[in-house]
Amino acid sequence: MATSSESSPSRCSLPTYHSKREISAQMVPFAGYSMPVQYSDLSVGESHKWTREKASLFDVGHMVQHRLSGPGASYLLERVTPTSIASLEMYHSTLSCFLHPVTGGIVDDTVITRLGPETFYFVTNAACREKDLAYLSTEIQSCKGNGSIDWQVLDGWGLIALQGPLSASVLEDSLVDPKKTGLRSLYFGQCKEASVRLASGEASASILVSRGGYTGEDGFEISVSPRFVVQVAEQLLQTAGSDRLRLAGLGARDSLRLEAGMCLYGHDLDDSTTPVEAGLSWIIHKDRRVSGGFHGDEKVLGQLRPVKEGGTGVPRRRVGLIVDGAPAREGAEIMDPAAVGEENAIIGNVTSGCPSPTIGKNIAMSYVKDGFHKSGTELEVLVRGKARKAVVVKMPFVKSRYWKQTLGTAPG
């Protein structure tokens, strides 16, 4: 298995140009890769708005792709996550978290897809690569006797995210057989195998097209074999044209996911945070709440019930904030206005924050002491040494626009 190195980053999948016109990209090292923060044709704010209005292509090939199969695959996943793997349908995906034994702390968040009766595809965070690989290796060893497991890390495979309201039409224009693929009946959380018509006239190898993403917009994450990833990306860009599709970098991706109320591991999630504290109780499926059997189940299931109902509750909760004045950044302290000057004034911290290009206000994701988490609660945030007024609001900050079979949006 390959290891990552910040000192000698490898390049990600996509070329640093858009369509037939050369553009430059501002590159930074991240998790062992050289990643584009933004491209020269659009500022971060402009790229953010472009994604909300049209479509953007993100290179997310730094993410770690895995394939898991064998008679013991389901047993493993039900042991390390609170997800009901047994009820996960073919070619459907679900957000989940790998959990630590006993504590129920989040090792990493992941999206798990069933590709066969005992075959799964899942994606984990690049920054957690070494930790995740060690964790999964240990867990697979611990599962011996419950069926054999074949685990592959798909090193070298590309992963590109096509996001925005024009994403479906952009992808459809490049598919070999759009009618057979049927994007209109492919809903959020589902996936299909397809093939892209390349500039050479040949068809690409099969690609895995998953409807979803990290922006709150309709879109797709596309897993592509190493040989075809650049060709597939080029075909999408050239077929769509620069009036519909442009490359986007990490800067816009971060502000888009924050508006969508989505967590970033290492900031909004970590080893000491449980799914209940993180506002991710919805990933703990109903049957698992009864049967348990996953790492940290005693603690996590206890947190689902408040103290008055015999549970333990949680000491803190993840919330959204709208902050007056200057934007609040990670680490900013959150205070109870009624207790300023007292020892118990600090009741939380900001974990992610930025000005929202869409709503024109400063938004932040934070953890606050239980009891201060209800919408409308007025708080103060210490920004650059000055207390700024803030109010707790529901997330997502911007309504999600996933392509769903029923009305409504997925939880933030």
Side-chain angles (χ1 to χ4, degrees), residues 191-210:
C191 66
K192 278 187 178 180
E193 293 183 352
S195 185
V196 166
R197 181 186 63 257
L198 304 177
S200 63
E202 68 174 317
S204 72
S206 179
I207 59 175
L208 183 65
V209 178
S210 303

Side-chain angles (χ1 to χ4, degrees), residues 14-15 21 26 104 106 114 128 140 168 200 368 386 392 408:
L14 301 187
R21 176 169 61 87
Q26 180 184 341
I106 298 172
R114 184 188 288 276
C128 296
I140 288 171
S200 63
V368 297
K386 183 177 180 179
V392 176

Side-chain angles (χ1 to χ4, degrees), residues 2-256:
T3 58
S4 60
S5 170
E6 288 291 330
S7 59
S8 54
S10 59
R11 196 64 165 268
C12 255
S13 306
L14 301 187
T16 55
Y17 62 87
H18 169 58
S19 192
K20 298 178 180 178
R21 176 169 61 87
E22 292 284 342
I23 66 169
S24 60
Q26 180 184 341
M27 308 296 286
V28 296
F30 179 77
Y33 286 86
S34 183
M35 297 291 296
V37 174
Q38 70 177 93
Y39 292 87
S40 59
D41 59 335
L42 295 173
S43 68
V44 170
E46 289 169 339
S47 183
H48 177 114
K49 291 179 179 178
W50 182 277
T51 309
R52 291 269 182 252
E53 296 169 2
K54 298 187 179 183
S56 293
L57 195 65
F58 298 82
D59 180 4
V60 289
H62 61 303
M63 303 291 282
V64 188
Q65 301 178 72
H66 310 250
R67 187 179 288 262
L68 193 74
S69 60
S74 291
Y75 177 85
L76 169 69
L77 292 175
E78 293 226 341
R79 170 186 168 94
V80 299
T81 77
T83 297
S84 178
I85 297 299
S87 63
L88 185 61
E89 297 178 41
M90 287 279 291
Y91 290 96
H92 281 64
S93 304
T94 183
L95 177 69
S96 192
C97 292
F98 295 127
L99 303 179
H100 284 290
V102 184
T103 67
I106 298 172
V107 178
D108 199 3
D109 57 317
T110 183
V111 175
I112 302 171
T113 303
R114 184 188 288 276
L115 298 180
E118 284 291 342
T119 301
F120 301 90
Y121 164 80
F122 62 94
V123 180
T124 55
N125 285 296
C128 296
R129 179 188 172 100
E130 300 309 318
K131 178 179 72 168
D132 289 347
L133 297 186
Y135 171 86
L136 289 167
S137 294
T138 299
E139 292 298 332
I140 288 171
Q141 287 296 315
S142 299
C143 287
K144 282 187 173 180
N146 292 283
S148 62
I149 295 172
D150 179 42
W151 171 39
Q152 301 174 56
V153 180
L154 304 179
D155 282 330
W157 280 63
L159 189 63
I160 51 180
L162 175 61
Q163 298 285 293
L166 300 185
S167 295
S169 64
V170 166
L171 179 56
E172 195 169 57
D173 288 348
S174 289
L175 292 175
V176 170
D177 192 344
K179 186 174 182 180
K180 180 180 178 181
T181 304
L183 294 182
R184 188 166 182 79
S185 60
L186 182 69
Y187 298 109
F188 178 82
Q190 299 178 357
C191 66
K192 278 187 178 180
E193 293 183 352
S195 185
V196 166
R197 181 186 63 257
L198 304 177
S200 63
E202 68 174 317
S204 72
S206 179
I207 59 175
L208 183 65
V209 178
S210 303
R211 198 148 202 168
Y214 200 46
T215 65
E217 294 294 332
D218 182 26
F220 307 88
E221 292 196 343
I222 305 169
S223 177
V224 192
S225 64
R227 178 187 167 194
F228 290 98
V229 60
V230 172
Q231 294 178 69
V232 168
E234 288 176 345
Q235 184 65 19
L236 290 169
L237 288 163
Q238 292 174 11
T239 301
S242 60
D243 59 331
R244 290 198 295 162
L245 178 66
R246 298 200 186 188
L247 289 166
L250 292 179
R253 190 166 184 256
D254 190 53
S255 56
L256 287 160

Side-chain angles (χ1 to χ4, degrees), residues 349-386:
N349 292 89
V350 171
T351 53
S352 293
C354 72
S356 165
T358 303
I359 66 175
K361 297 178 180 179
N362 297 318
I363 60 175
M365 197 178 291
S366 314
Y367 281 84
V368 297
K369 184 178 178 181
D370 185 44
F372 291 88
H373 62 283
K374 295 181 179 178
S375 293
T377 301
E378 295 182 351
L379 302 171
E380 290 183 351
V381 182
L382 198 60
V383 181
R384 300 175 189 170
K386 183 177 180 179

